[in-house]
Amino acid sequence: MIRQPGRFVRVCRVLTLAVLGLTGRAASAQPAQSPLPRATPEAVGMSSSALERATTGLQAHIDRGDIAGVVAAVMRDGQLVYHVSLGLRDVTTGDPMPPDALFRLYSMTRPITSTAILMLHDEGRLSVHDPLVKWLPAFASQQVLVNAAARPSNSAPVPPTRARRSDITLAQLLTHTSGIGSRDAPLYRAHDVHRYDKTLADVVADVAALPLFEDPGTRYRYGMHAEVLGRVIEVATGQSVDVFLRERLFAPLGMRDATFRVDSARAPRLATVHRRDADGRLRPHVMEVLDVTDDRRLMSAGVGLVASTDDLLRFGQLFLDDGRVGERRLLSSEGVRMALENAVPDALRPLPGGGYWGGSGWTLGGFAVALDPSRYRHPVRRGEIWWDGSAGTRFWIDPVERLVIVVNAQVSPAGGGGFREAFRAAVEEALVVRARPGG
């Protein structure tokens, strides 16, 4: 029997009551355990009652069957002021969503890989202005499709190509302006480019063997750039990308659960991806042939990481603490600036896609950055960086109000009835004291 998440809110709801100072429903809740520094919302200019309404809104999405469960958290001025887990980790088992649940990040892996590149740039081990061929010579002979919309066929598995006009730079990989395509592009699918039974070196070699969709530096095209950057990290450091991230980024930040593979000890905390069936009921949904609990060969530097909500809070806070964690500097002030500022040339904007894309840029840190908040359907500030994943995760990092906001579920399609946007709006309403009047 599949139990529906809304029926179990009383036993599944976990709030940081000691932080929020909430009352009235304390008997049904347990404190979430987090080693992050804490404060009451009021101590950092936020409203406990407004954050309670944010919780009510998330619960409404669970009750409607938009998502099975969720973990959401807010930090301001480096202090955790809100941390809630609601609903179910898995509707089949009825397990409650734990506050330390693990989530498949998918595209939120990209900013983490990009940050690693900026760290190496800081150290002089590479430059974001380097041509890609300096690190991966296989890209030297890469061609460009004559028609980017051409699809492969049995008679022409690779559509007609021409010589490219310039070399890819690492900066173009970081900003999705290299001409490399998405892993879902028909050309890449026809050639089985992105598979978890292949190594990262194999995947990137296959990308190099296929043509670009356009010349480097001529168009923004969201694609497999972080996979290539992950391989650059391996070549530049002599370490596999998973080892480099674990030793140089995850361990110093205290991102204890960030990993490419979920072992048996952590598997009970892994949130199940759900999708509505024909009757509109949430059911477990398989997104990959090889899941994160399987013995994958590919350490996918673009879409492969798993992490907890606290891991993402720590990562986000790095950019508000000028690249430092405690007394240790992981990223220079210049590196932080590169992660926060748009790096897509004006000639390539607005970004294609309509909606918020038209009001966004892209940073060398692998984030979308809000340039025109009026193009968004939820509150953001100019200069706010963010990104999300295709199974229902998202974070926002706001340098103006010094906020890190994380909301994670596992649902496909990722929209989940707009639960992420609604949560961001509710957090905005909880701001009482603002760093910038009217901001």
Side-chain angles (χ1 to χ4, degrees):
M1 175 181 177
I2 296 178
R3 297 191 282 178
Q4 293 301 296
R7 300 177 186 176
F8 297 92
V9 59
R10 292 290 178 182
V11 296
C12 297
R13 190 161 175 260
V14 184
L15 289 172
T16 54
L17 295 176
V19 174
L20 299 179
L22 303 181
T23 61
R25 284 180 280 183
S28 65
Q30 299 175 351
Q33 299 300 314
S34 172
L36 293 162
R38 298 183 177 190
T40 64
E42 283 70 23
V44 295
M46 300 185 75
S47 164
S48 293
S49 59
L51 288 172
E52 171 71 345
R53 291 192 291 275
T55 302
T56 301
L58 288 172
Q59 184 60 50
H61 281 283
I62 294 171
D63 294 342
R64 287 197 296 268
D66 295 329
I67 52 176
V70 65
V71 180
V74 179
M75 292 183 72
R76 193 180 196 195
D77 292 332
Q79 305 290 309
L80 180 67
V81 298
Y82 177 91
H83 198 295
V84 61
S85 57
L86 301 169
L88 300 181
R89 182 189 68 83
D90 187 298
V91 299
T92 305
T93 65
D95 292 341
M97 181 70 80
D100 59 353
L102 304 182
F103 299 91
R104 300 160 186 82
L105 299 185
Y106 280 97
S107 292
M108 286 172 68
T109 304
R110 290 179 163 97
I112 293 172
T113 299
S114 297
T115 298
I117 290 287
L118 294 183
M119 292 169 69
L120 294 173
H121 175 88
D122 276 348
E123 295 166 8
R125 298 173 74 177
L126 55 72
S127 168
V128 298
H129 305 296
D130 284 343
L132 176 58
V133 294
K134 175 178 178 178
W135 300 103
L136 301 178
F139 283 85
S141 58
Q142 193 172 34
Q143 298 281 294
V144 179
L145 289 172
V146 171
N147 177 5
R151 300 174 72 92
S153 65
N154 291 335
S155 59
V158 176
T161 64
R162 59 169 174 80
R164 71 173 190 279
R165 299 189 177 101
S166 60
D167 285 335
I168 297 171
T169 67
L170 300 191
Q172 289 166 345
L173 292 172
L174 290 163
T175 56
H176 296 273
T177 57
S178 74
I180 289 172
S182 162
R183 70 179 181 135
D184 293 324
L187 177 63
Y188 288 179
R189 283 190 171 275
H191 292 267
D192 287 329
V193 169
H194 192 280
R195 288 174 43 155
Y196 284 100
D197 59 353
K198 298 163 66 171
T199 67
L200 183 60
D202 291 338
V203 167
V204 173
D206 287 346
V207 172
L210 292 169
L212 297 172
F213 287 79
E214 50 267 323
D215 283 298
T218 62
R219 185 182 189 273
Y220 178 95
R221 179 184 292 272
Y222 191 70
M224 287 183 60
H225 302 88
E227 308 291 358
V228 181
L229 290 167
R231 182 59 183 154
V232 170
I233 291 169
E234 293 186 334
V235 173
T237 67
Q239 293 179 295
S240 62
V241 68
D242 59 319
V243 170
F244 181 86
L245 291 176
R246 183 171 66 247
E247 293 182 354
R248 295 294 311 280
L249 194 58
F250 300 158
L253 281 174
M255 295 173 65
R256 300 171 185 168
D257 288 314
T259 182
F260 286 101
R261 185 175 183 275
V262 176
D263 59 25
S264 59
R266 293 173 177 171
R269 293 191 282 128
L270 178 64
T272 299
V273 180
H274 295 89
R275 190 170 199 161
R276 290 183 188 267
D277 64 13
D279 297 323
R281 293 167 63 89
L282 289 174
R283 306 275 181 173
H285 174 67
V286 176
M287 291 187 68
E288 306 288 348
V289 174
L290 290 175
D291 197 15
V292 293
T293 55
D294 296 320
D295 189 17
R296 291 174 164 183
R297 297 183 69 201
L298 176 61
M299 304 299 173
S300 178
V303 294
L305 280 172
V306 171
S308 69
T309 299
D310 282 11
D311 289 336
L312 296 175
L313 290 170
R314 292 174 180 277
F315 178 68
Q317 189 63 38
L318 177 69
F319 300 96
L320 301 185
D321 287 343
D322 193 37
R324 293 181 180 273
V325 52
E327 297 301 315
R328 181 173 180 180
R329 179 171 287 283
L330 298 185
L331 194 61
S332 70
S333 297
E334 175 66 9
V336 171
R337 184 193 65 77
M338 293 163 75
L340 295 177
E341 294 183 357
N342 172 58
V344 177
D346 290 345
L348 304 187
R349 294 181 27 239
L351 305 185
Y356 70 81
W357 285 106
S360 301
W362 201 266
T363 82
L364 293 170
F367 297 98
V369 56
L371 300 177
D372 180 0
S374 69
R375 299 295 297 269
Y376 284 70
R377 295 183 178 180
H378 64 279
V380 294
R381 258 168 290 283
R382 181 176 174 83
E384 192 166 321
I385 60 173
W386 67 282
W387 200 229
D388 57 20
S390 58
T393 55
R394 186 177 293 177
F395 58 12
W396 297 262
I397 304 165
D398 179 358
V400 173
E401 296 295 344
R402 295 190 57 78
L403 286 165
V404 181
I405 304 168
V406 182
V407 59
N408 289 328
Q410 296 282 256
V411 64
S412 178
F419 77 98
R420 297 175 294 187
E421 294 83 357
F423 181 71
R424 177 66 184 86
V427 172
E428 188 70 17
E429 292 179 3
L431 288 174
V432 177
V433 178
R434 295 175 183 266
R436 179 181 296 168

